[in-house]
């Protein structure tokens, strides 16, 4: 009974906050609602018994990806009038895309319910009493799908290198801090004692 | 009677009771640790510190509490009011939420999750939202700069904390916090900071530096000096807290200190044996003690470790000058990240080739 109540509460919160993501006037509020949606989706994962996935969803999406979203969106100078400008013009395209997505989702749901094309495929191994779902995922990921796992890693690596090469600039004439040199300084290399005659003074050019 | 506690109603009552107990305990601990923080800081600077309210100033935190609560809540006119007030509340909720999986003694834990360590990681990564939301909603320049800094800083140091935690998980072979502690029982060399005992002891070469990396990352993660750039008073007035006053400010500060104490607990739990005293408990005949007495002893040991690490936090605050922002990023990405990555490779290699998990 409690599980059912929890499910309906979490599901309602997820749907409502997802709706508010698209209807909120302020983009920052949209991102905050998105975070709420992620978080309650993680709650739904917990109810399914997939606590590992739930935690990963929170760590990766809520803890890192959404922070960067928020980081960018916060710095936008939002003009609400301009935001609404193209609404009527893009509405037909938006309706078509949404319609296609809805149709696809319904078809997939029906296919899954009936077995469909994936009926013969081996389902993911469920967590059992002696095997937590971390172990279950680990075994599948590092044995059956190890090549896909590696390939996904390489794709991410390439994306990372691409982002770095796009943004890396070597500007000449910038003084950079070299911690090794700073720490390696001592009285001998950093300072020089000059004995000056009284009244003669010292030109700055005479110093090293 | 035992039947009642396993029924849904009894279970709910027991859990709510446990949550209240932990919350009140942590709050009381934070009240006195906050005073300790100020006293230690004062001691380093050869001052006396707060010594007026109560004997030795012991009641100072409570006086401060009432001062904050009784003041007027000022909400800036141009602020986003809902988000502005939500931010400190979120900070506190998240800070206390992390304590749900903290094992204080054998069996003394609210929720013994089998992904406990991931839960801790997930919840502590939410802490940044309080700061970002607070800084943005204030609709003011310095808070906003503070929150931008904090977002980048927290994301950076979470990476190295995550990799360090992986080392511990590899040695313990589990993500359950209670099991991680029981894996370290016995003598002091069984603690993960010293390599985790039989078979894995050579990993002390990796694990001890990793404990230090974790400590420094914990400083950065909790915005403690020398990494308190989101609230650097010499540059940003008070960072994201500039526009906050009275109770919302109190909530921010409370959340910060609860987080600090939590990080101290995590260091002692992951690397320094949690509630294990570091010697064979059979020596003092502990297995024959009644369960509650043994647990109290373990709780005492755990608290002593937490207080020790809090003392270290306070000393760092007193000694170390603040980092510059680029130095902070350099430390996080160019030093800690590669080091902890190599450490993960080293520990997993030891696990695979020398001692099977």
């Amino acid at each position: 009974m409690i599980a059912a109540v929890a499910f309906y509460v979490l599901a309602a919160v997820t749907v409502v906050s997802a709706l508010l993501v698209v209807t909120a006037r302020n983009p920052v509020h949209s991102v905050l609602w998105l975070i709420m949606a992620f978080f309650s989706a993680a709650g739904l994962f917990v109810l399914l018994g997939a606590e590992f996935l739930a935690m990963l969803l929170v760590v990766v999406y809520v803890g890192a990806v959404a922070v960067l979203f928020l980081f960018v969106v916060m710095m936008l100078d939002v003009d609400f009038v301009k935001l609404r400008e193209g609404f009527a013009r893009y509405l037909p395209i938006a309706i078509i895309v949404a319609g296609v997505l809805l149709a696809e989702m319904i078809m997939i749901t029906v296919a899954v319910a009936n077995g469909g094309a994936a009926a013969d495929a081996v389902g993911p191994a469920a967590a059992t009493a002696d095997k937590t779902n971390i172990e279950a995922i680990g075994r599948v990921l590092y044995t059956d799908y190890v090549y896909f796992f590696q390939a996904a890693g390489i794709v991410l690596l390439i994306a990372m290198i691409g982002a770095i090469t796009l943004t890396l600039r070597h500007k000449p004439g910038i003084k950079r801090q070299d911690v090794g040199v700073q720490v390696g300084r001592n009285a001998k290399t950093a300072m020089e004692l000059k004995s000056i005659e009284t009244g003669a003074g010292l030109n700055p050019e005479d110093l090293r | 009677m035992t039947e009642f506690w396993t029924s849904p109603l009894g279970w709910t009552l027991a859990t709510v009771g446990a949550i209240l107990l932990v919350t009140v305990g942590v709050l009381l601990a934070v009240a006195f640790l906050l005073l300790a923080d100020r006293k230690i800081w004062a001691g380093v600077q050869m001052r006396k510190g707060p010594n007026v309210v109560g004997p030795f100033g012991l009641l100072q935190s409570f006086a401060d509490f009432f001062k904050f609560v009784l003041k007027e809540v000022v909400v800036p006119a141009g602020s986003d009011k809902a988000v502005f007030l939500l931010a400190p509340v979120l900070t506190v909720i998240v800070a206390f939420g992390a304590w749900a999986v903290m094992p204080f003694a054998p069996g003394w834990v609210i929720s013994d999750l089998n992904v406990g360590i991931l839960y801790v990681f997930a919840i502590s990564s939410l802490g940044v939202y309080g700061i970002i939301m607070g800084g943005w909603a204030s609709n003011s320049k310095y808070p906003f700069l503070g929150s931008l800094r904090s977002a980048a800083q927290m994301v950076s140091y979470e990476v190295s904390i995550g990799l360090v935690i992986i080392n511990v998980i590899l040695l313990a072979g589990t993500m359950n916090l209670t099991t991680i502690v029981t894996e370290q029982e016995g003598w002091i060399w069984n603690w993960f900071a010293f390599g985790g005992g039989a078979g894995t002891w050579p990993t002390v070469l990796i694990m001890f530096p990793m404990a230090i990396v974790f400590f420094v990352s914990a400083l950065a993660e909790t915005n403690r000096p020398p990494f308190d750039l989101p609230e650097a008073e010499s540059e940003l007035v008070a960072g994201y807290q500039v526009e906050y006053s009275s109770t919302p400010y109190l909530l921010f500060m409370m959340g910060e200190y609860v987080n600090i104490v939590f990080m101290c607990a995590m260091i002692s739990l992951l690397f320094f044996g949690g509630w294990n005293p570091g010697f064979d408990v059979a020596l003092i005949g502990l297995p024959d003690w009644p369960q509650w007495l043994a647990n109290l002893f373990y709780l005492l040991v755990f608290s002593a470790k937490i207080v020790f690490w809090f003392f270290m936090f306070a000393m760092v605050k007193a000694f170390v000058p603040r980092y510059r922002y680029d130095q902070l990023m350099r430390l996080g990405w160019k030093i800690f990240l590669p080091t902890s990555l190599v450490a993960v490779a080293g520990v997993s290699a030891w696990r695979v080739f020398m001692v099977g998990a």
Side-chain angles (χ1 to χ4, degrees):
Chain A
M1 208 273 285
I2 294 173
V5 172
F7 170 76
Y8 283 113
V9 169
L10 285 169
V13 171
T14 313
V15 172
V16 170
S17 35
L19 205 66
L20 284 163
V21 172
V22 278
T23 53
R25 281 162 173 267
N26 192 327
V28 174
H29 290 177
S30 288
V31 178
L32 293 177
W33 286 117
L34 183 70
I35 293 160
M36 188 78 199
F38 279 151
F39 198 73
S40 27
L44 289 174
F45 271 130
V46 171
L47 285 184
L48 281 174
E51 63 264 19
F52 182 69
L53 279 184
M55 294 307 153
L56 274 199
L57 186 72
V58 176
V59 171
V60 176
Y61 285 94
V62 182
V65 174
V67 171
L68 298 178
F69 272 11
L70 203 56
F71 195 93
V72 174
V73 171
M74 270 194 325
M75 287 193 278
L76 293 177
D77 186 19
V78 189
D79 187 352
F80 295 114
V81 183
K82 215 172 178 188
L83 266 182
R84 306 234 137 219
E85 221 169 42
F87 187 72
R89 225 177 86 209
Y90 296 117
L91 193 61
I93 305 173
I95 287 175
I96 292 170
V97 172
V100 169
L101 267 178
L102 184 67
E104 280 178 355
M105 277 174 171
I106 290 172
M107 281 193 279
I108 290 171
T109 317
V110 171
V112 169
N114 294 341
D120 297 334
V122 184
T128 50
D130 59 324
K131 202 168 66 169
T132 59
N133 63 41
I134 304 166
E135 277 182 77
I137 289 175
R139 294 227 169 117
V140 173
L141 201 61
Y142 292 107
T143 53
D144 299 350
Y145 298 107
V146 65
Y147 295 116
F148 298 103
F149 180 66
Q150 301 274 350
I154 290 171
V155 169
L156 288 175
L157 181 69
I158 291 170
M160 194 171 83
I161 293 172
I164 292 171
T165 36
L166 280 176
T167 51
L168 186 69
R169 302 246 192 291
H170 282 293
K171 282 187 204 157
I174 288 182
K175 279 191 179 172
R176 290 193 185 278
Q177 183 181 24
D178 189 338
V179 175
V181 170
Q182 285 184 346
V183 174
R185 263 159 68 104
N186 56 23
K188 255 183 199 156
T189 57
M191 146 172 124
E192 191 181 357
L193 286 178
K194 298 246 179 193
S195 45
I196 304 160
E197 272 178 54
T198 313
L202 184 70
N203 284 327
E205 295 88 53
D206 295 341
L207 294 168
R208 256 193 301 157
Chain B
M1 197 60 200
T2 45
E3 224 167 66
F4 171 72
W5 293 116
T6 48
S7 69
L9 180 69
W11 177 86
T12 311
L13 282 180
T15 311
V16 170
I19 292 171
L20 276 179
L21 197 67
V22 169
T23 311
V24 171
V26 169
L27 267 180
L28 277 179
V30 162
F32 288 107
L33 284 173
L34 216 158
L35 177 73
D37 197 26
R38 294 169 71 176
K39 279 282 193 186
I40 292 165
W41 207 11
V44 171
Q45 298 174 343
M46 293 174 150
R47 292 186 285 115
K48 280 190 172 163
N51 64 350
V52 175
V53 190
F56 313 109
L58 277 177
L59 301 177
Q60 180 67 42
S61 299
F62 300 96
D64 285 345
F65 172 80
F66 284 113
K67 189 188 82 176
F68 278 125
V69 170
L70 296 177
K71 279 191 170 182
E72 184 194 353
V73 182
V74 180
V75 181
S79 68
D80 189 323
K81 287 183 186 59
V83 181
F84 184 82
L85 293 176
L86 189 65
V89 176
L90 186 81
T91 309
V92 166
I93 290 175
V94 165
F96 277 107
W99 286 88
V101 290
M102 179 62 66
F104 294 96
W108 284 9
V109 49
I110 296 174
S111 171
D112 200 13
L113 285 181
N114 64 3
V115 287
I117 207 164
L118 269 181
Y119 172 83
V120 167
F121 195 53
I123 292 294
S124 68
S125 69
L126 292 180
V128 65
Y129 283 113
I131 296 176
I132 301 186
M133 283 161 67
W136 176 79
S138 299
N139 196 12
S140 162
K141 288 184 189 66
Y142 288 125
F144 186 63
L145 283 174
S147 68
L148 285 185
R149 281 182 173 194
S150 133
Q153 174 179 339
M154 290 228 181
V155 170
S156 310
Y157 279 83
E158 240 156 52
V159 179
S160 64
I161 281 198
L163 285 170
V164 172
I165 285 178
I166 290 178
N167 288 317
V168 176
I169 296 173
L170 282 171
L171 282 185
T174 175
M175 292 197 189
N176 182 309
L177 286 172
T178 309
T179 323
I180 286 178
V181 178
T182 48
E183 288 275 317
Q184 303 179 66
E185 70 190 0
W187 291 94
I188 192 165
W189 48 82
N190 285 346
W191 294 359
F192 286 143
F194 306 115
T200 54
W201 63 267
T203 52
V204 63
L205 289 179
I206 298 174
M207 291 310 286
F208 196 72
M210 279 305 108
I212 296 168
V213 169
F214 188 89
F215 176 67
V216 179
S217 303
L219 288 174
E221 191 72 4
T222 50
N223 292 324
R224 264 301 259 204
F227 304 115
D228 59 340
L229 288 150
E231 46 192 297
E233 66 267 13
S234 53
E235 303 154 25
L236 299 179
V237 192
Y240 62 93
Q241 299 167 338
V242 170
E243 305 290 348
Y244 281 91
S245 57
S246 100
T247 313
Y249 174 78
L250 174 74
L251 290 179
F252 259 134
M253 199 169 76
M254 207 158 76
E256 199 177 307
Y257 270 85
V258 171
N259 260 330
I260 290 167
V261 180
F262 183 77
M263 275 299 177
C264 296
M266 283 310 286
I267 298 170
S268 23
L269 202 146
L270 295 177
F271 291 100
F272 295 92
W275 64 67
N276 295 305
F279 53 82
D280 194 352
V281 283
L283 280 184
I284 52 168
L286 199 110
D288 302 332
W289 295 11
Q291 185 63 41
W292 63 271
L293 195 64
N295 274 5
L296 268 186
F297 171 74
Y298 284 134
L299 182 63
L300 199 67
V301 171
F302 191 40
S303 316
K305 287 178 185 174
I306 295 178
V307 170
F308 171 77
W309 282 108
F310 189 83
F311 178 72
M312 298 295 278
F313 265 68
M315 289 304 259
V316 169
K317 178 177 175 178
F319 286 158
V320 188
R322 182 178 292 128
Y323 263 53
R324 216 171 50 208
Y325 197 71
D326 61 313
Q327 292 171 330
L328 174 89
M329 284 294 150
R330 175 178 169 273
L331 186 69
W333 289 107
K334 290 191 178 170
I335 299 176
F336 281 180
L337 180 63
T339 321
S340 43
L341 209 56
V342 170
V344 170
V347 172
S348 24
W350 187 268
R351 253 335 198 174
V352 171
F353 297 115
M354 305 304 282
V355 188

